[in-house]
Amino acid sequence: MSALDVATIKRDFPIFEREVNGKRLVYLDSASSAQKPLAVLDAMDDAYRNHYANIHRGVYTIAEEATAAFEDARRKVARFVNAPRTDEIVFTRNATESINLVAYSWARANLNAGDAIVLSHMEHHANVVPWQILAAERGVELRWIPMTADFRLDLTNLEQLLDGARLLAISAMSNVLGTINDIRPLADAAHAHGALVLVDACQYVPHVATDVQQWDADFIAFSSHKILGPTGIGALWARKDLLEAMPPFLGGGEMIRDVRLDGFTTNDVPWKFEAGTPAIVEAVGFGAAIDYISALGMDAVRAHELLVTRYALDSLRDRFGDSLTIYGPSNVDGRGGAVSFLFDGIHAHDISQVLDEDAVCVRAGHHCAKPLMRQLGVPATTRASFYVYNDEADVDALIEALAKAQKFFAV
Amino acid sequence: MAGLEDLYREIILDHYRSPRNRGELPVPPAHKVEGFNPLCGDEVVLFLDVDPETDTVRDVKIAGQGCSISQASTSMMSAAVKGKPLSEVRQLIRAFKALMSIHESKLEGDGGDGSDLAAELAGVRLGDLEALQGVVKFPVRIKCATLAWNTLQQALDETAQTQA
């Protein structure tokens, strides 16, 4: 018995009213971006129709309402990850920008040639390339935590890797493998070596109750669109003392306290990092998405996804046996609902194309994790990922469509 | 809505399952060029041996990996250009690219009548390659089909530079 009533939840999402190719939509690509409930669409519509103005500026009723709604969203986001303070949440465009903000502001102010940053082989490009840019510019050394045969972090040499490191930048959940990394012990080890900890929580926050204090992290990055919210807005959480010491990232309006011809002083955090008119209505939508999923309960969300993921792993193995290779931990404990696989020598794009005939939406490709794909020795995988609106029937539809692809491409 | 059979024509699946001219050629005299489709990880490795005396494709071999469309298109390309004079090969490249874009512009409804593209196609015998025209109904797959041909173009350009 699932912790969630999926039939009812599906009705909250207008997109599931439509069909594709005459079939009901089976959306298995939430790790890429999640669908949006009516509550989010309505909240954004209401914000535009009834409360829209620029924020932090106008001294009139609707501007004050818009400002209040924007800052209320920040409170919701802060609570959602158990941040100690609301002003530790910086709104960004997405998780990628959150990580880049740390790379451009904190890292450039603090790291120099000879310093090291520790990453892992399972990072998304968003948590690789900003550090590679920095490494090329500053001569900073990048070190990599490898993987075990069961697709988990191989921590055998963690102490050596962290020796002399200034930052550990690590994913809480792999977008390809589904692997959940246990952050607290990693953070403890990093801190013991004097390194700060940045968590790419983009895949984790939507699916598992997140507590930045329990993690003892220093920075975490995540986005709205994977948590049922709109695109165009994400968040960086960072400890307030770090944010206050960091130089500004983008310059412009809002991030300043005063500007003279010979210089400027910065605004308080978090606004110091929010130059220009932000994604006001998207913030409102982000807050509404958090309200929606919080009402379901993050523990129930996690329990439901474990159920569906276990059903998927079991069903795929039962039906296809050795024709199917799953890249990710075999045990659902310590794993999220992203299931990547190779199937019967058929290229992921061909699988995805055949699946689309049956309105089954999966991701095909390298999932913005090419270093990981090279480690796995595969050019591309097919990935099915699950969220609150998926159930066993969706897994069954995936399996029937895969059987069709197998028949279609049979040698 | 275009169906799967528009995309995966039997001749395409045949080339995918039994690719022609797989292998490698000694470099030199052959020229080796690799083509990548960064979006999906398709890879084409092309060995092109041009006879400078007669300006013909003496031999061609292909390697690489990718989806059925990219690999079938590569196989069909190799079969189409082997033994052909370079002038004919260049014409074939233009014609194939026209085939891939003529329907695209129609699909996008940009008002173009495709007459310039039609001119490229006039008088060129595409043969089996015409089976690939269904790809244009699946815009994200066009790059899969054109990868081999862009790689061939690059090989021709580099060969011309070497021999100049």
Side-chain angles (χ1 to χ4, degrees):
Chain A
M1 182 62 197
S2 175
L4 297 180
D5 177 2
V6 175
T8 304
I9 289 172
K10 264 195 211 276
R11 282 197 291 276
D12 292 337
F13 291 75
I15 202 160
F16 293 119
E17 287 163 22
R18 71 163 288 183
E19 294 186 334
V20 171
N21 299 334
K23 311 265 173 57
R24 78 174 182 91
L25 190 62
V26 178
Y27 188 73
L28 300 177
D29 198 19
S30 299
S32 182
S33 198
Q35 295 299 342
K36 316 306 172 197
L38 194 58
V40 168
L41 307 180
D42 282 349
M44 294 177 73
D45 191 57
D46 179 58
Y48 271 127
R49 284 174 188 274
N50 298 311
H51 312 285
Y52 184 76
N54 211 329
I55 55 166
H56 299 142
R57 285 166 183 74
V59 188
Y60 46 84
T61 302
I62 57 170
E64 283 168 3
E65 286 171 359
T67 303
F70 183 79
E71 293 301 331
D72 192 41
R74 195 190 308 275
R75 266 189 293 280
K76 290 174 183 177
V77 173
R79 265 203 305 273
F80 194 57
V81 296
N82 199 30
R85 305 174 56 105
T86 296
D87 58 7
E88 291 176 334
I89 295 290
V90 177
F91 281 130
T92 60
R93 272 191 307 146
N94 45 40
T96 298
E97 187 176 287
S98 300
I99 295 171
N100 274 276
L101 194 162
V102 177
Y104 278 91
S105 170
W106 176 81
R108 275 165 177 75
N110 289 283
L111 302 194
N112 289 297
D115 288 333
I117 297 174
V118 178
L119 308 165
S120 88
H121 280 167
M122 61 176 79
E123 299 310 313
H124 186 282
H125 293 164
N127 197 29
V128 172
V129 181
W131 310 117
Q132 289 178 328
I133 293 172
L134 178 76
E137 197 181 298
R138 288 287 172 90
V140 167
E141 181 195 354
L142 302 184
R143 300 174 184 169
W144 304 89
I145 302 174
M147 270 187 319
T148 66
D150 196 36
F151 309 100
R152 297 191 185 274
L153 293 179
D154 179 352
L155 302 175
T156 315
N157 296 317
L158 183 65
E159 294 300 320
Q160 290 101 300
L161 288 169
L162 285 171
D163 187 30
R166 301 288 310 280
L167 179 72
L168 169 67
I170 190 96
S171 170
M173 186 192 291
S174 160
N175 69 313
V176 177
L177 309 167
T179 309
I180 291 176
N181 295 322
D182 193 0
I183 296 299
R184 182 58 190 258
L186 290 167
D188 287 347
H191 289 149
H193 285 275
L196 296 187
V197 177
L198 178 145
V199 182
D200 174 2
C202 204
Q203 294 289 334
Y204 188 92
V205 170
H207 303 281
V208 191
T210 302
D211 184 337
V212 297
Q213 300 181 63
Q214 191 279 324
W215 274 350
D216 200 19
D218 299 293
F219 306 98
I220 84 162
F222 55 105
S223 67
S224 147
H225 72 100
K226 287 181 168 61
I227 322 176
L228 312 173
T231 54
I233 189 161
L236 169 71
W237 169 82
R239 282 186 2 235
K240 193 175 182 191
D241 59 309
L242 288 168
L243 288 174
E244 284 183 332
M246 281 158 60
F249 173 36
L250 300 175
E254 183 65 28
M255 54 76 66
I256 46 85
R257 167 154 299 133
D258 188 21
V259 183
R260 301 166 308 277
L261 289 178
D262 62 352
F264 72 95
T265 49
T266 57
N267 199 343
D268 293 333
V269 299
W271 305 284
K272 176 171 121 182
F273 295 102
E274 294 179 354
T277 296
I280 301 165
V281 174
E282 285 75 7
V284 172
F286 193 177
I290 285 172
D291 286 344
Y292 179 88
I293 199 147
S294 299
L296 297 178
M298 288 310 291
D299 290 339
V301 169
R302 173 66 178 151
H304 171 73
E305 287 176 25
L306 277 173
L307 192 92
V308 177
T309 305
R310 184 178 288 121
Y311 181 77
L313 293 173
D314 290 348
S315 309
L316 285 166
R317 286 197 196 99
D318 287 352
R319 178 67 175 264
F320 300 114
D322 292 341
S323 304
L324 189 122
T325 309
I326 292 170
Y327 292 95
S330 44
N331 191 331
V332 291
D333 299 322
R335 161 193 231 300
V339 179
S340 285
F341 55 87
L342 276 193
F343 182 50
D344 216 17
I346 310 169
H347 191 277
H349 274 190
D350 291 320
I351 291 174
S352 181
Q353 192 89 61
V354 176
L355 263 49
D356 183 53
E357 278 269 297
D358 289 334
V360 175
C361 312
V362 293
R363 175 80 189 270
H366 54 63
H367 316 295
C368 296
K370 289 194 91 167
L372 173 61
M373 303 309 278
R374 287 200 171 86
Q375 292 292 320
L376 300 175
V378 296
T381 66
T382 305
R383 179 188 69 192
S385 53
F386 310 112
Y387 209 4
V388 293
Y389 35 65
N390 296 121
D391 57 11
E392 287 92 335
D394 291 341
V395 175
D396 292 341
L398 167 70
I399 285 175
E400 289 316 310
L402 282 172
K404 205 163 127 182
Q406 190 174 36
K407 206 170 148 193
F408 195 86
F409 289 102
V411 176
Chain B
M1 177 65 205
L4 279 183
E5 60 282 0
D6 292 317
L7 181 64
Y8 298 115
R9 305 270 291 275
E10 198 45 53
I11 182 91
I12 293 175
L13 291 174
D14 177 59
H15 275 266
Y16 168 59
R17 290 174 184 133
S18 320
R20 323 296 198 260
N21 302 305
R22 289 256 343 156
E24 299 186 357
L25 291 174
V27 181
H31 193 80
K32 178 186 175 183
V33 175
E34 292 173 276
F36 294 98
N37 183 346
L39 279 179
C40 43
D42 291 336
E43 177 196 17
V44 167
V45 185
L46 177 66
F47 295 85
L48 186 73
D49 181 12
V50 173
D51 182 347
E53 302 297 315
T54 58
D55 257 0
T56 56
V57 175
R58 193 155 44 199
D59 201 0
V60 57
K61 292 282 186 201
I62 54 170
Q65 56 184 354
C67 71
S68 60
I69 300 302
S70 74
Q71 298 308 299
S73 179
T74 308
S75 170
M76 292 163 90
M77 177 274 287
S78 73
V81 303
K82 194 169 166 175
K84 293 274 165 56
L86 292 190
S87 57
E88 216 173 295
V89 171
R90 290 206 173 86
Q91 205 179 24
L92 204 53
I93 293 173
R94 280 198 301 275
F96 185 79
K97 287 193 175 176
L99 185 74
M100 286 295 115
S101 54
I102 195 165
H103 299 272
E104 200 182 1
S105 62
K106 275 184 190 167
L107 283 173
E108 287 167 2
D110 62 0
D113 61 1
S115 56
D116 294 348
L117 299 168
E120 295 284 5
L121 282 164
V124 181
R125 288 164 48 106
L126 284 164
D128 287 353
L129 293 169
E130 280 181 14
L132 283 162
Q133 70 180 325
V135 173
V136 296
K137 294 176 189 163
F138 299 82
V140 295
R141 304 302 293 276
I142 292 172
K143 281 192 170 64
C144 310
T146 52
L147 175 63
W149 297 83
N150 290 331
T151 310
L152 174 64
Q153 179 71 59
Q154 193 188 335
L156 285 180
D157 293 347
E158 291 181 11
T159 305
Q161 277 174 13
T162 323
Q163 293 180 351

